[in-house]
């Protein structure tokens, strides 16, 4: 609608829509300038803003991530129904009911959104100001460099014209003067550091995220210390029957570790060195002597008086 028609129809106050069949009451303050050329896009943007102003819940208000995703899907369905003019009366009634039941929550979320928008604006403004100060510092430094070079050029010309200084002395002085890390470069760096040190937090109240610890290499024994008492495992051992396997690409491609075979073979070879049968038998006999010898045990449950022979003992 053109601006003159809006002034003519709605200047005196709210009035019904002049479009035939439309029974909505319009106000002059609700009119605004068109942003998009396509009116369908303009209408969708208006509907999306109105629905999201009512359904402005935040993710931290939901118990689970699934509930938050369901809410986003439900909100998008309501928007698309209003855009496509499907179940308009039902959707409008649902929005009105939700807005009336959650007035305080909607106002609180609006306040949070305004606060976040203001913090974002301040952060953006601060970055722009910092960039401007950095550019001014660079311009000032370039100007100082230009003045210094011009002064050095005039000084060299005057000294050469007077004949009191040789060319080699002037070259040597210029090299010493333009060494890296001089006062001029340090001053510019310090000014830039002062500009970048004063930082403003983008969003306040967020938890500090800690970088995850580097993942440790996989250990199938979960840190258990494995020590061999009778041998020390070497990298390789001469074995005739393993000569072909060591050169076989199929074995190597499968990731077979020959050191595991060596370790298993040596463990089996030295398995019995730490076992002493005599000591184990003497310990067992000393334990059983207090309770009675196996030859004195009788089978009272069977009613016989046969005793176990000493030869029945495996030890």
């Amino acid at each position: 609608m053109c601006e003159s028609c809006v002034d003519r129809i709605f200047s005196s106050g709210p009035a019904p829509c002049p479009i035939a069949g439309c029974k909505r009451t319009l106000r002059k303050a609700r009119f605004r300038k068109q942003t998009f050329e396509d009116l369908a896009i303009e209408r969708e943007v208006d509907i999306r803003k109105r629905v999201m102003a009512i359904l402005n819940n935040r993710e931290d208000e939901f118990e689970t991530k699934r509930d938050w995703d369901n809410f986003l899907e439900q909100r998008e369905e309501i928007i698309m129904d209003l855009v496509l003019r499907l179940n308009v009366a039902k959707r409008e009634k649902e929005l009105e009911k939700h807005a009336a039941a959650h007035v305080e929550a909607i106002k609180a979320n609006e306040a949070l959104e305004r606060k976040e928008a203001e913090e974002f604006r301040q952060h953006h403004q601060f970055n722009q100001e910092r960039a401007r100060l950095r550019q001014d510092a660079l311009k000032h430094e370039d100007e100082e460099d230009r003045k210094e070079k011009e002064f050095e050029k005039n000084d060299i010309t005057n000294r050469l014209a007077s004949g009191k200084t040789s060319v080699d002395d002037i070259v040597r002085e210029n090299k010493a003067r333009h060494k890296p890390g001089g006062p001029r470069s340090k001053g510019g760096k310090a000014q830039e550091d002062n500009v970048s040190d004063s930082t403003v937090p983008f969003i306040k109240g967020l938890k500090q995220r800690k970088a995850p610890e580097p993942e440790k290499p996989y250990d199938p024994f979960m840190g258990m210390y494995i020590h061999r008492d009778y041998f020390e495992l070497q990298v390789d051992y001469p074995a005739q029957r393993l000569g072909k396997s060591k050169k076989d690409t199929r074995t190597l491609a499968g990731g077979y570790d020959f050191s595991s075979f060596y370790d298993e073979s040596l463990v089996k070879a030295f398995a019995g060195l730490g076992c002493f049968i005599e000591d184990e038998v003497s310990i067992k006999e000393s334990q059983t002597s207090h309770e009675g010898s196996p030859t004195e045990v009788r089978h009272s449950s069977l009613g016989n008086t046969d005793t176990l022979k000493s030869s029945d003992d495996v030890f």
Side-chain angles (χ1 to χ4, degrees):
M1 188 178 294
C2 63
E3 186 176 356
S4 59
C5 293
V6 172
D7 295 335
R8 178 175 55 85
I9 299 174
F10 302 100
S11 294
S12 58
C17 180
I19 299 176
C22 182
K23 300 179 181 180
R24 299 186 62 180
T25 301
L26 304 179
R27 294 172 174 81
K28 183 179 179 180
R30 300 292 298 273
F31 284 91
R32 60 179 180 81
K33 293 183 179 181
Q34 182 177 345
T35 305
F36 300 96
E37 183 178 359
D38 192 349
L39 292 179
I41 299 178
E42 191 82 19
R43 178 173 173 272
E44 180 180 351
V45 171
D46 291 341
I47 292 174
R48 189 172 293 276
K49 287 182 179 180
R50 181 168 62 89
V51 173
M52 295 186 70
I54 299 174
L55 302 177
N56 60 351
N57 300 81
R58 305 169 70 87
E59 185 176 0
D60 54 3
E61 299 179 23
F62 296 87
E63 295 182 356
T64 61
K65 186 67 166 57
R66 176 59 62 85
D67 295 336
W68 166 250
D69 293 338
N70 293 336
F71 166 75
L72 296 179
E73 183 178 0
Q74 181 184 5
R75 186 173 64 181
E76 195 65 25
E77 289 178 354
I78 294 174
I79 293 173
M80 295 311 300
D81 285 349
L82 295 177
V83 171
L84 301 176
R85 295 183 174 89
L86 302 175
N87 303 323
V88 177
K90 178 183 176 182
R91 295 303 189 184
E92 292 290 349
K93 186 177 180 180
E94 291 176 353
L95 292 176
E96 292 177 1
K97 183 178 179 181
H98 178 81
H102 302 84
V103 177
E104 298 298 331
I106 292 175
K107 290 182 179 180
N109 290 334
E110 288 179 355
L112 288 176
E113 290 179 1
R114 289 194 298 268
K115 182 179 179 182
E116 291 176 354
E118 180 64 21
E119 290 179 353
F120 177 80
R121 186 190 64 80
Q122 293 179 1
H123 182 74
H124 182 65
Q125 184 178 1
F126 171 77
N127 288 336
Q128 289 182 340
E129 183 67 17
R130 184 171 62 177
R132 187 186 65 80
L133 293 176
R134 186 181 293 109
Q135 291 179 357
D136 293 343
L138 292 176
K139 289 181 180 179
H140 179 73
E141 187 176 354
D142 293 340
E143 183 67 19
E144 293 293 332
D145 290 343
R146 186 187 64 80
K147 291 181 180 180
E148 185 176 354
K149 289 180 181 179
E150 185 176 357
F151 175 79
E152 291 177 358
K153 182 179 179 181
N154 296 332
D155 182 62
I156 291 173
T157 303
N158 295 332
R159 293 171 64 182
L160 290 176
S162 63
K164 297 180 180 180
T165 307
S166 62
V167 178
D168 296 336
D169 294 338
I170 295 175
V171 172
R172 194 180 304 107
E173 291 177 2
N174 288 334
K175 287 183 179 181
R177 186 181 305 170
H178 292 88
K179 284 184 177 181
R184 182 164 45 86
S185 61
K186 292 181 180 179
K189 180 63 176 177
Q191 187 173 2
E192 184 177 353
D193 292 339
N194 293 332
V195 173
S196 61
D197 286 342
S198 56
T199 58
V200 176
F202 179 49
I203 299 177
K204 297 180 180 179
L206 291 179
K207 297 180 180 179
Q208 296 293 335
R209 294 186 177 181
K210 297 182 179 179
E213 297 181 358
E215 186 176 356
K216 299 180 180 179
Y218 174 72
D219 184 10
F221 299 101
M222 302 179 65
M224 183 177 63
Y225 178 70
I226 300 177
H227 177 68
R228 305 304 185 191
D229 295 330
Y230 299 101
F231 66 91
E232 182 178 354
L233 186 65
Q234 303 297 325
V235 178
D236 192 13
Y237 292 91
Q240 296 181 358
R241 63 170 183 165
L242 297 179
K244 295 182 179 180
S245 299
K246 291 180 181 180
K247 300 179 181 180
D248 190 0
T249 56
R250 295 174 298 179
T251 305
L252 299 176
Y256 183 76
D257 189 8
F258 288 95
S259 61
S260 299
F261 172 76
Y262 298 146
D263 184 70
E264 182 181 359
S265 301
L266 292 173
V267 167
K268 291 180 180 180
F270 290 93
L273 292 181
C275 299
F276 302 96
I277 304 300
E278 294 82 0
D279 297 341
E280 294 182 1
V281 172
S282 60
I283 294 173
K284 186 173 181 179
E285 289 179 351
S286 62
Q287 292 177 353
T288 56
S289 62
H290 301 285
E291 301 177 359
S293 177
T295 57
E296 300 176 355
V297 178
R298 302 178 182 274
H299 297 277
S300 58
S301 60
L302 297 178
N304 57 10
T305 58
D306 297 336
T307 58
L308 294 176
K309 299 180 180 179
S310 61
S311 62
D312 294 336
D313 191 356
V314 295
F315 296 105

